[in-house]
Amino acid sequence: MTEHLPPAPDAIPAVIGATPEQPPGKYDSEVERLFGAGGPLGPAVGDFRPRRSQTEMAKAIASAIASQTTLIAEAGTGTGKTFAYLVPALMWGGKTIVSTGTKNLQDQLFLRDIPTVRAALQAPVSVALLKGRSNYLCHYHLERTLQNGRMTSRDDVGYLREISRFLKMTKTGDKAELARVPENALIWNLVTSTRDNCMGTECQYYQDCFVMKARKEAQQADVVVVNHHLFFADVALKDSGITELLPSANTIIFDEAHQLPDTATLFFGDTFSTSQVLELCRDVLAEGLSNARDGADWGKVVTVVEKAARDLRLTFPQDIVRLSLPQIAPSSDFFPALETLKDELDGMMEVLEKQAERAETLEQCRQRGVDLVGRLAAWKFDPKAKVAKGEEAVFWVEAYASSLQLHKTPLSIAPIFNGQREGVPRSWIFTSATLAVKNDFSHFSEQMGLGNEPSMSWPSPFNYEEQGILYVPTGLPDPNSFGYTDAVLDLALPVIEAAGGKTFLLCTTLRAVKRAAERLRDEFEKRNLPFPLFVQGDKGRTELLDQFRKAGNGVLIGSQSFWEGVDVRGDALSLVIIDKLPFAPPDDPVLAARIEVMEKQGKNGFMSHTLPEAIINLKQGAGRLIRDEKDRGVLMLCDPRVISKPYGKRIWQSLPSFKRTREQEVVIEFFKNKNSDQ
């Protein structure tokens, strides 16, 4: 038996905080012409097909741009939201900043989507791409690295040769253009600048600087494409060139806006890391020996600081640890080790104060040291208080394999972001496929401090009831029980086999990814199943996805980074398995503090925050399955709480309106029919 979900949302947009009966917009007829049959953005443009939801969304965004107001716009998968916001932005947006979730999406907008729309509209707009400074080759640091020869591997020597050649040919210095050197190669750290070690106007290469060129182009362009990390890094640090852009911007569009609360939290907080201390020590030693060898015993100066930084890390076990301050025992070695690091850092600063005038690079090291000492001093706290009084911030510690980070995170980003939005009237557009929980935008709005700003939702044009099945298997144990991942795999294997591979297995933890990879590798060999296995961490995400698409019958196992921003159309992906509901980890100190504050206000922290957050993440994962009108497949959601818990209904109703079943036979039959149709 196949049960049905509640009907799909109506095609009429759900409007929250605005009056639905709005008069026709000033630009409605022009939008209709552009997207309509025979229009420049009609069927003739590539594989792009005009859709009613897309046209209505473009009208709503045009209206918000014209009236310089805010709009929160959720558009289901397949709506064509990128063109729906680009058309009004390019036609009527004035100076526009478009911010998206990742650098890959930035490149896609800049290289593909905007040129397509601009050509179709014949719009004479100039466009610039702006990334963070670590994406641009630095003349000064490349020259320094070539002279010093501080290579850590044989690969680096070859990569450095490629980068030197690249410098002579590139106009932008953007490392994304140099495919021969992997984006995550360690050599890039030595040939790009940071906010701390940039020489600024003192640099001999300032006139040729790629970072400055990119910022200048952005100043002059009509449309500037950035990413969320860059946008909020600038708001917090004033170091990406956006501060100069904002005053003149008429329109700001955030695509993949569901990521904003996490990104803004990251940048509106403050972090002190032992790795920053070790990097500073490395540079102090090099610059001291080069420019003031007789000024101090530089080896001794930095060694005591390095030891103090490493000792601080060693006050926690080797595992990755996240603890709020009240969770650290008052008798812990952490507190005296922290004082020792402060003292040793002060000692190094005394030497730098005396020697800094001997070289510009030593002065730069001194300034970096002042910044680090200041951050450490600002980390004042009452170890017993979960939330710092007067600051509305959470103090917590995060230990990695070889570094320790001290975080100070705001409880709410809303007041800070609202401060950013005040001032010059302009249009703010927030769009994503996942902003609402069953047409309720309050979770996102409250996080961002958007209050009662208008919120609209347009459904996906896909026929989910015909294109897919939502399968929640029976017989699964409690998701927190030992051996849960193996129980999921027991039920998943027959379905993977029926699907002929073509599977994403999305896990909520890296531990589950590892266990699933071990078990499936073993099972595929035992059963002689010819499905190539692609596992997160074995290679970069882009490479894994390319290989998965080419294989045509692969099984890809991944965690959070594969839940969103991944587009596999066609027959290569027919089955998406989700191991558990993606609730935030219970050891998250910031989440725990936020929930505690909510509950003091009389709210239910789980229903108001934890559940909506999980539903939005789940919608992202579920959105990997159907990417096109011709796609067909099964979403296998392996969490019995969807059925057994009272909140399960809220989850069902937020997912696409697939047919639904709890019977494996129905799913096997679906794949038999699907395979016979091909």
Side-chain angles (χ1 to χ4, degrees), residues 50-68:
R51 298 180 176 111
R52 196 72 233 149
S53 289
Q54 184 183 47
T55 307
E56 294 305 318
M57 183 181 177
K59 287 181 188 176
I61 291 173
S63 175
I65 286 173
S67 56
Q68 294 192 313

Side-chain angles (χ1 to χ4, degrees), residues 258-302:
H258 65 279
Q259 297 176 2
L260 292 181
D262 284 346
T263 308
T265 297
L266 183 70
F267 285 101
F268 289 162
D270 204 1
T271 296
F272 172 94
S273 172
T274 57
S275 62
Q276 292 169 317
V277 176
L278 295 173
E279 282 167 21
L280 176 62
C281 288
R282 181 193 70 192
D283 292 345
V284 167
L285 180 62
E287 299 305 334
L289 291 173
S290 296
N291 301 293
R293 185 177 284 272
D294 59 344
D297 183 344
W298 292 103
K300 191 175 176 184
V301 167
V302 301

Side-chain angles (χ1 to χ4, degrees), residues 60-136:
I61 291 173
S63 175
I65 286 173
S67 56
Q68 294 192 313
T69 53
T70 294
L71 178 65
I72 305 168
E74 182 182 73
T77 306
T79 303
K81 66 178 166 60
T82 307
F83 281 21
Y85 68 69
L86 283 178
V87 166
L90 267 60
M91 294 288 280
W92 310 294
K95 176 86 175 184
T96 299
I97 297 173
V98 180
S99 180
T100 190
T102 63
K103 286 182 285 187
N104 284 346
L105 288 170
Q106 244 188 302
D107 289 334
Q108 182 181 310
L109 270 170
F110 182 72
L111 298 171
R112 191 182 77 187
D113 298 335
I114 292 177
T116 300
V117 173
R118 184 169 58 178
L121 301 179
Q122 296 182 323
V125 294
S126 56
V127 187
L129 181 69
L130 186 60
K131 297 180 182 178
R133 63 164 66 247
S134 64
N135 292 278
Y136 298 101

Side-chain angles (χ1 to χ4, degrees), residues 226-409:
V226 302
N227 60 64
H228 303 336
H229 277 77
L230 184 72
F231 188 94
F232 286 107
D234 189 78
V235 171
L237 304 172
K238 307 284 182 285
D239 181 53
S240 70
I242 290 174
T243 311
E244 296 86 17
L245 296 177
L246 271 178
S248 60
N250 308 98
T251 304
I252 295 176
I253 299 170
F254 290 106
D255 196 351
E256 303 296 337
H258 65 279
Q259 297 176 2
L260 292 181
D262 284 346
T263 308
T265 297
L266 183 70
F267 285 101
F268 289 162
D270 204 1
T271 296
F272 172 94
S273 172
T274 57
S275 62
Q276 292 169 317
V277 176
L278 295 173
E279 282 167 21
L280 176 62
C281 288
R282 181 193 70 192
D283 292 345
V284 167
L285 180 62
E287 299 305 334
L289 291 173
S290 296
N291 301 293
R293 185 177 284 272
D294 59 344
D297 183 344
W298 292 103
K300 191 175 176 184
V301 167
V302 301
T303 301
V304 289
V305 181
E306 287 174 336
K307 182 178 186 306
R310 292 194 173 103
D311 285 348
L312 184 66
R313 168 63 192 90
L314 293 172
T315 60
F316 294 100
Q318 276 307 107
D319 304 334
I320 293 173
V321 174
R322 304 173 87 189
L323 294 170
S324 65
L325 274 172
Q327 293 175 298
I328 302 173
S331 59
S332 168
D333 291 340
F334 168 75
F335 296 106
L338 186 61
E339 291 307 315
T340 302
L341 177 58
K342 284 181 181 177
D343 292 343
E344 300 298 0
L345 202 49
D346 286 343
M348 185 168 79
M349 289 308 299
E350 283 175 24
V351 176
L352 282 173
E353 292 289 348
K354 290 174 188 167
Q355 303 297 326
E357 61 186 25
R358 296 179 66 173
E360 179 64 35
T361 49
L362 273 173
E363 169 58 22
Q364 219 171 34
C365 287
R366 187 194 70 80
Q367 289 171 8
R368 284 164 63 188
V370 168
D371 180 56
L372 281 175
V373 167
R375 280 197 222 175
L376 202 48
W379 215 68
K380 287 179 182 164
F381 54 84
D382 171 359
K384 292 174 188 161
K386 230 178 220 182
V387 177
K389 288 191 173 62
E391 295 203 58
E392 295 302 300
V394 185
F395 288 98
W396 56 291
V397 171
E398 191 166 23
Y400 292 96
S402 56
S403 69
L404 188 75
Q405 294 186 346
L406 312 182
H407 299 285
K408 177 177 150 192
T409 304

Side-chain angles (χ1 to χ4, degrees), residues 500-511:
K502 306 175 185 183
T503 299
F504 270 10
L505 172 53
L506 301 179
C507 302
T508 51
T509 64
L510 289 171
R511 189 183 289 118

Side-chain angles (χ1 to χ4, degrees), residues 258 434-437 443 611-621:
H258 65 279
T434 56
L435 291 174
V437 176
H443 177 64
L611 182 62
E613 197 77 5
I615 289 174
I616 285 169
N617 283 338
L618 183 63
K619 283 170 72 174
Q620 278 291 334

Side-chain angles (χ1 to χ4, degrees), residues 25-34 59:
K26 181 177 168 185
Y27 304 113
D28 283 9
S29 58
E30 182 64 4
V31 170
E32 290 279 0
R33 183 190 73 77
L34 291 167
K59 287 181 188 176

